[in-house]
Amino acid sequence: MARIAFILLTHKDPEGVIAQARRLTASGDYVSIHFDARASAEDFRTIRMTLAGDPGVTFVRKRMKCGWGEWSLVAATLEALRAAADAFPQATHFYMLSGDCMPVKSAEYAHDFLDAEDCDFIESFDFFASDWIKTGIKAERLIYRHWFNERKQKALFYANMNLQRRLGLQRAIPADLQVMIGSQWWCLRRDTVERVLGFCDARPDVMRFFAGTWIPDETFFQTLVAHLVPRREIRTRTLTFLMFTDYGMPVTLYNDHFDLLLRQDYLFARKISPEALELRERLGALWQTTGAQFPISDEGPRLFRFLTGRGRVGRRFAPRFWETEGSLGRSRIVHLIVAKKWHVAKRLTQAIRELTEIPAVDYVFNELEANLPDMGGVASSLDKRQRHRRAVVKMLFDQLESQQLVLCLDPSALSLIADFASDRAETRILFVDSPFDDDYLRGHMSRIGLAGATTPPEVVARLLPVVRDDLEHEAERLRDMEFNRFEVIAPGRSAQQNAQAIQRFLDIAPESAHDLAQIPHLFDD
């Protein structure tokens, strides 16, 4: 059976450290503690004296003064790993934790999970080829020597880097290593840890290199594990659940997150708020339970993005893509069918293609198959279409040899709709005002990843009114924009009313508009 040696790096809350160590060792596991040398000496004495009699706890021989982004964090981890490897020969796995982490599964579940597969769990992506780094410096982390802390000594940090750049003092990456990057929260097998520690002893050149890099805790273990372990034995994921805000800060978890945390496909979670005493107590008790079942729905990050994003709808900053000098042309007409139910809009565009001379495409910015003509490489992927949206629409007009074009948009794309309306070309909008019953909302939640087959019914029930309100709010915002040419069709309106709206939208004969309004099952789900 798996026995875990937890590598606990912490710098505060001695009572919490003691409680966490006792909780983890009570399940037959081990804890190796590094308490930051910058922290209170009295706090460290309290921890050491209180846990002195616990055979499942060990302490590092040398405490480091740790700083975010510095080599000291890796050095502290290595000290804790060596202490654990020496003190606990029965340990099969080594798991990185912080003082803000708590279990979200039972020890029984965690042991069975690790026994099920002989592998290491560590995010490990190519440093240069991946987009893991979203903002800030990238190659500069490695090729320059960093002696100052960017957070505490910003002026010196950038002056040092810029000086090396001007003097051409770039350094080479060790030739036999492919630098990898990923989360610092990992779980490694004993054999892997022993290989890493042996490599550290044998390669002082690699140690010197990483000691001068910036944020090495995101590259050091990730690189060495990928170098020493076959890729088939590495799962490039973390077993610690964490989410980040738009600003790159970890999301803090509170008492009302208990049920959500248990449904995520992870063993631990961070950051648990120090004030979330009820959550800490319940999660602490969870670790000791036996026979517990954990249905996994894994919707946490998507749910967080959905709920937090609702408050910022319409407030995101993005460059306009219809520049004045890039107008589609005054003589052209863009007909936008705006519909949340894509199948309804696509039934309408199919009928428009069959019954009129007006070319019509579908959700060109959302689906690859959108009834497009051959447009070459610019339309070969959704990513390219998004990057070259102006070119795509202009090419559609040219390829279809028409001054009119019908295309579909989702009502959530308000900025895109507004940019069309502000172009010199004439823009007409046909809004398909559809009702949303609970079955449709459940399907919608599944399609956008907000809920899955294993999401508890009570969670779905709580989300239904929130999602319905969100969709209705999209429609209201669309109406509030007061476009000059804005028509509405809906299943609750008469065929005559819908036909008149379609006739004004497309400027076609009444008979053709009536045929379009009478499409069999037009509004059906």
Side-chain angles (χ1 to χ4, degrees), residues 265-313:
D265 190 18
Y266 297 88
L267 303 183
F268 283 77
R270 71 180 305 269
K271 302 174 66 169
I272 309 298
S273 169
E275 288 78 35
L277 300 180
E278 179 186 344
L279 178 60
R280 287 177 172 269
E281 182 178 353
R282 295 178 73 184
L283 292 177
L286 176 70
W287 182 251
Q288 308 300 334
T289 60
T290 58
Q293 300 296 314
F294 298 94
I296 304 298
S297 57
D298 216 22
E299 80 285 13
R302 294 185 295 271
L303 182 60
F304 173 77
R305 289 193 297 270
F306 170 72
L307 293 176
T308 56
R310 295 176 75 243
R312 298 189 298 275
V313 171

Side-chain angles (χ1 to χ4, degrees), residues 22-304:
R22 286 176 168 169
R23 175 190 313 120
L24 297 174
T25 58
S27 59
D29 296 302
Y30 312 102
V31 179
S32 179
I33 298 175
H34 178 279
F35 195 74
D36 198 326
R38 297 182 191 274
S40 164
E42 182 60 34
D43 286 349
F44 180 62
R45 279 194 295 271
T46 299
I47 296 170
R48 183 117 197 193
M49 291 177 62
T50 306
L51 296 175
D54 191 329
V57 176
T58 191
F59 293 86
V60 300
R61 297 179 182 88
K62 180 182 179 181
R63 294 165 59 209
M64 305 288 177
K65 292 182 178 180
C66 296
W68 185 90
E70 297 177 5
W71 169 253
S72 53
L73 285 174
V74 176
T77 304
L78 288 172
E79 285 293 321
L81 272 175
R82 291 186 188 277
D86 291 343
F88 310 124
Q90 297 88 359
T92 61
H93 294 76
F94 296 76
Y95 194 122
M96 269 286 292
L97 281 182
S98 77
D100 293 324
C101 297
M102 291 291 291
V104 295
K105 299 291 185 296
S106 65
E108 178 184 67
Y109 181 98
H111 294 152
D112 290 344
F113 183 95
L114 295 176
D115 281 335
E117 198 171 8
D118 186 19
C119 63
D120 298 306
F121 293 90
I122 181 170
E123 285 191 351
S124 186
F125 306 102
D126 186 277
F127 184 91
F128 294 100
S130 73
D131 63 347
W132 201 88
I133 298 174
K134 303 298 183 185
T135 59
I137 61 175
K138 186 171 183 177
E140 293 87 347
R141 288 192 186 190
L142 306 178
I143 62 176
Y144 298 122
R145 298 163 180 83
H146 297 277
W147 297 301
F148 303 100
N149 190 294
E150 194 266 349
R151 288 189 171 183
K152 297 179 180 179
Q153 303 161 297
K154 188 177 290 290
L156 288 172
F157 179 90
Y158 286 103
N160 169 63
M161 189 171 66
N162 291 331
L163 178 61
Q164 293 180 70
R165 181 184 289 117
R166 288 198 298 272
L167 297 177
L169 298 178
Q170 294 186 16
R171 59 179 183 162
I173 296 169
D176 59 330
L177 292 183
Q178 177 186 8
V179 179
M180 310 296 281
I181 191 167
S183 168
Q184 64 269 52
W185 309 108
W186 39 253
C187 178
L188 304 177
R189 297 166 296 173
R190 183 177 196 91
D191 182 61
T192 300
V193 167
E194 291 174 348
R195 292 185 194 182
V196 168
L197 295 178
F199 185 91
C200 293
D201 294 336
R203 294 291 300 272
D205 60 317
V206 173
M207 303 296 282
R208 287 193 299 271
F209 171 78
F210 278 104
T213 61
W214 180 236
I215 321 182
D217 56 326
E218 293 179 351
T219 55
F220 179 78
F221 290 101
Q222 297 77 2
T223 299
L224 265 59
V225 171
H227 180 70
L228 298 169
V229 177
R231 294 298 291 177
R232 65 180 181 276
E233 297 178 21
I234 300 174
R235 301 295 172 266
T236 53
R237 57 159 298 190
T238 174
L239 296 180
T240 299
F241 176 71
L242 66 162
M243 298 184 293
F244 290 92
T245 68
D246 284 354
Y247 305 101
M249 301 300 293
V251 173
T252 302
L253 302 162
Y254 296 95
N255 290 334
D256 56 352
H257 288 123
F258 179 79
D259 291 329
L260 179 140
L261 289 175
L262 266 58
R263 295 194 304 273
Q264 307 315 305
D265 190 18
Y266 297 88
L267 303 183
F268 283 77
R270 71 180 305 269
K271 302 174 66 169
I272 309 298
S273 169
E275 288 78 35
L277 300 180
E278 179 186 344
L279 178 60
R280 287 177 172 269
E281 182 178 353
R282 295 178 73 184
L283 292 177
L286 176 70
W287 182 251
Q288 308 300 334
T289 60
T290 58
Q293 300 296 314
F294 298 94
I296 304 298
S297 57
D298 216 22
E299 80 285 13
R302 294 185 295 271
L303 182 60
F304 173 77

Side-chain angles (χ1 to χ4, degrees), residues 4-18:
I4 309 168
F6 290 98
I7 308 304
L8 178 57
L9 267 59
T10 186
H11 63 282
K12 61 182 180 180
D13 187 18
E15 292 79 10
V17 174
I18 293 167

Side-chain angles (χ1 to χ4, degrees), residues 313-315 320 336 338 409-422 427 429 431 473-486:
V313 171
R315 298 184 178 88
R320 296 169 62 86
L336 302 179
V338 181
L409 293 177
D410 191 276
S412 63
L414 281 181
S415 61
L416 182 57
I417 298 168
D419 280 332
F420 271 115
S422 65
T427 301
I429 296 172
F431 175 52
H473 186 50
E474 283 181 355
E476 287 304 310
R477 295 202 317 274
L478 186 66
R479 295 175 187 273
D480 289 345
M481 295 176 79
E482 299 181 346
F483 298 106
N484 290 332
R485 299 292 300 267
F486 185 86

